[in-house]
Amino acid sequence: MKKAIFYILISFITLSCTKSIKDSDLENIKGYWEIEKVILPEGTSKEYKINEEVEKVEYDNGKGVKRKVILLYDGNFLVNNIKQQFSIKKRKDSYFIINKTDFSNWEEEILT
């Protein structure tokens, strides 16, 4: 009986602590992002320990642009002219970044 109560309590705490993403939270995607880890659909992951580049993300009203930025040794930034367009779509209770380039299409799920 004690085990059942313990598991119910742990389940309740876990479910009550999860945060759902709101539309207003999507504005937080703006800024500079460093990729630390990628989890592939089959479950394997790849970690990026050192990044010479970060992504500058501009976002407004469901659409955005990503650009690569390199920090130079003198403290300045070098931004490339390649703009990767993306949009954000909601499916059920999850949000996805829909990326499109001339060479590939892919999706990234927003977890937090």
Side-chain angles (χ1 to χ4, degrees):
M1 182 68 174
K2 288 182 182 180
K3 284 185 180 181
I5 292 173
F6 175 75
Y7 288 120
I8 291 171
L9 181 62
I10 292 297
S11 298
F12 176 74
I13 291 171
T14 303
L15 292 174
S16 64
C17 291
T18 58
K19 289 184 172 181
S20 62
I21 298 171
K22 301 178 220 132
D23 289 340
S24 60
D25 293 335
L26 296 177
E27 290 297 317
N28 295 328
I29 202 164
K30 293 178 187 176
Y32 295 88
W33 290 86
E34 179 182 13
I35 298 172
E36 295 175 349
K37 180 175 159 182
V38 173
I39 301 172
L40 301 170
E42 63 271 2
T44 59
S45 65
K46 179 177 180 178
E47 291 193 33
Y48 295 88
K49 297 186 188 293
I50 299 174
N51 289 318
E52 295 177 359
E53 299 177 343
V54 296
E55 286 187 329
K56 179 182 180 187
V57 178
E58 300 168 4
Y59 175 77
D60 188 34
N61 202 21
K63 298 198 181 285
V65 174
K66 295 179 186 177
R67 293 170 52 172
K68 297 290 183 190
V69 177
I70 298 173
L71 175 62
L72 301 175
Y73 293 107
D74 62 3
N76 290 316
F77 292 96
L78 178 63
V79 181
N80 71 12
N81 289 327
I82 300 171
K83 295 181 179 181
Q84 178 195 324
Q85 306 287 330
F86 72 91
S87 61
I88 296 181
K89 304 286 183 199
K90 183 176 183 180
R91 292 191 201 126
K92 296 185 182 179
D93 292 334
S94 298
Y95 287 88
F96 293 86
I97 299 173
I98 312 299
N99 297 282
K100 278 191 175 181
T101 68
D102 292 338
F103 306 104
S104 182
N105 300 326
W106 69 96
E107 296 181 0
E108 301 166 321
E109 183 176 4
I110 301 173
L111 299 176
T112 58

